[in-house]
Amino acid sequence: MLFVGLLVAVLGAAMMTVATKQLAHANEGHYLPVIIGKFAVASPVNVTALRVRAQAVVVVATLIVLETTWDYTAPWPSIMATCATFVVPVAVPVIVITSGHNSRLPNSRRHTS
């Protein structure tokens, strides 16, 4: 069952990757906030819907991993695996794609507000 949970997490990461690439394309030529901020071009509804679905898939994966690995006598490995399953599939694609997108912009076009 752990394999299923990790497979579902990979599906969520793939969905987040597609959505983030679409968002980066919609904001071509504009700085993208890495963690929090305002986009120059608002996220299209279908991209927002895909991002929400990806996050929901990751939550399901997290619950599968938690249920599969939980052990009351040694909870820390399960807690770490659960946290990694929750954060990595969403954060890694967003940070990598956003950083790559922003690195192609000239410094004069970047802003922090």
Side-chain angles (χ1 to χ4, degrees):
M1 197 66 178
L2 179 61
F3 178 74
V4 172
L6 296 177
L7 195 60
V8 172
V10 168
L11 174 64
M15 292 170 67
M16 186 58 76
T17 299
V18 169
T20 305
K21 284 184 177 182
Q22 290 175 354
L23 184 59
H25 181 69
N27 281 277
E28 195 62 44
H30 299 285
Y31 176 80
L32 289 178
V34 177
I35 303 296
I36 193 167
K38 188 175 180 182
F39 296 104
V41 178
S43 177
V45 174
N46 61 335
V47 174
T48 301
L50 183 58
R51 289 170 65 97
V52 169
R53 285 192 302 267
Q55 292 169 356
V57 167
V58 169
V59 168
V60 170
T62 302
L63 293 175
I64 291 170
V65 169
L66 176 64
E67 179 65 30
T68 304
T69 62
W70 184 251
D71 180 5
Y72 288 105
T73 59
W76 286 109
S78 175
I79 291 170
M80 295 308 211
T82 301
C83 290
T85 306
F86 188 64
V87 173
V88 170
V90 174
V92 170
V94 170
I95 291 170
V96 168
I97 293 168
T98 303
S99 298
H101 174 88
N102 290 342
S103 70
R104 291 188 294 273
L105 296 176
N107 287 336
S108 63
R109 297 180 77 183
R110 294 181 185 181
H111 58 73
T112 57
S113 56

